[in-house]
Amino acid sequence: LLNKVLFSQPESAEALLLVGQIYLVRGDQNQADKDFSHALTADPANLQALAYVYEKALNDNNSKYASCS
Protein backbone atom coordinates (compact mmCIF):
# COMPACT_ATOMS: atom_id res chain seq x y z
CA LEU A 1 0.00 0.00 0.00
CA LEU A 2 2.80 2.43 0.85
CA ASN A 3 4.51 1.60 -2.43
CA LYS A 4 1.32 2.58 -4.27
CA VAL A 5 1.17 5.88 -2.38
CA LEU A 6 4.81 6.62 -3.08
CA PHE A 7 4.38 5.69 -6.73
CA SER A 8 1.49 8.12 -7.16
CA GLN A 9 2.81 10.73 -4.71
CA PRO A 10 6.59 10.34 -4.45
CA GLU A 11 6.91 13.47 -2.31
CA SER A 12 4.41 12.34 0.35
CA ALA A 13 6.23 13.14 3.58
CA GLU A 14 3.82 10.99 5.57
CA ALA A 15 4.42 7.92 3.41
CA LEU A 16 8.18 8.50 3.45
CA LEU A 17 8.11 8.70 7.25
CA LEU A 18 6.22 5.43 7.49
CA VAL A 19 8.63 3.71 5.13
CA GLY A 20 11.56 5.10 7.12
CA GLN A 21 10.06 3.75 10.33
CA ILE A 22 9.65 0.33 8.72
CA TYR A 23 13.32 0.34 7.73
CA LEU A 24 14.27 1.30 11.29
CA VAL A 25 12.32 -1.64 12.68
CA ARG A 26 13.99 -3.93 10.15
CA GLY A 27 17.42 -2.62 11.18
CA ASP A 28 18.25 -0.85 7.91
CA GLN A 29 19.53 2.44 9.33
CA ASN A 30 20.98 3.67 6.03
CA GLN A 31 17.69 3.37 4.14
CA ALA A 32 15.76 4.84 7.06
CA ASP A 33 18.12 7.85 7.03
CA LYS A 34 17.43 8.36 3.33
CA ASP A 35 13.67 8.16 3.75
CA PHE A 36 13.59 10.52 6.73
CA SER A 37 15.83 13.00 4.91
CA HIS A 38 13.64 12.75 1.81
CA ALA A 39 10.55 13.33 3.98
CA LEU A 40 12.18 16.43 5.40
CA THR A 41 13.02 17.68 1.92
CA ALA A 42 9.40 17.14 0.89
CA ASP A 43 8.08 18.90 4.00
CA PRO A 44 10.74 20.96 5.84
CA ALA A 45 8.30 21.72 8.67
CA ASN A 46 7.56 18.04 9.37
CA LEU A 47 8.21 17.67 13.10
CA GLN A 48 8.72 13.89 13.02
CA ALA A 49 11.36 14.14 10.31
CA LEU A 50 13.03 17.10 12.04
CA ALA A 51 13.14 15.25 15.35
CA TYR A 52 14.68 12.19 13.71
CA VAL A 53 17.33 14.16 11.83
CA TYR A 54 18.39 16.21 14.85
CA GLU A 55 18.37 13.23 17.22
CA LYS A 56 20.50 11.34 14.70
CA ALA A 57 22.88 14.29 14.44
CA LEU A 58 23.17 14.58 18.22
CA ASN A 59 23.70 10.85 18.69
CA ASP A 60 26.31 10.74 15.94
CA ASN A 61 27.78 14.13 16.86
CA ASN A 62 27.42 14.94 13.17
CA SER A 63 26.61 18.56 12.36
CA LYS A 64 26.72 17.78 8.61
CA TYR A 65 23.68 15.50 8.97
CA ALA A 66 21.74 18.19 10.83
CA SER A 67 22.42 20.66 8.03
CA CYS A 68 20.38 18.57 5.55
CA SER A 69 17.28 20.33 6.88
Side-chain angles (χ1 to χ4, degrees), residues 3-68:
N3 285 335
K4 288 182 182 181
V5 172
L6 287 173
F7 182 76
S8 65
Q9 299 173 11
E11 298 302 315
S12 171
E14 294 83 9
L16 290 163
L17 284 171
L18 288 172
V19 171
Q21 290 169 347
I22 291 168
Y23 280 115
L24 277 179
V25 169
R26 290 182 175 174
D28 189 342
Q29 184 74 46
N30 289 333
Q31 187 60 49
D33 290 351
K34 291 176 188 177
D35 289 321
F36 280 106
S37 293
H38 192 179
L40 193 55
T41 300
D43 180 7
N46 188 293
L47 295 179
Q48 283 184 296
L50 282 168
Y52 176 84
V53 167
Y54 283 108
E55 183 176 337
K56 172 85 170 137
L58 288 173
N59 289 339
D60 293 350
N61 194 25
N62 183 350
S63 60
K64 177 180 169 263
Y65 193 87
S67 70
C68 78

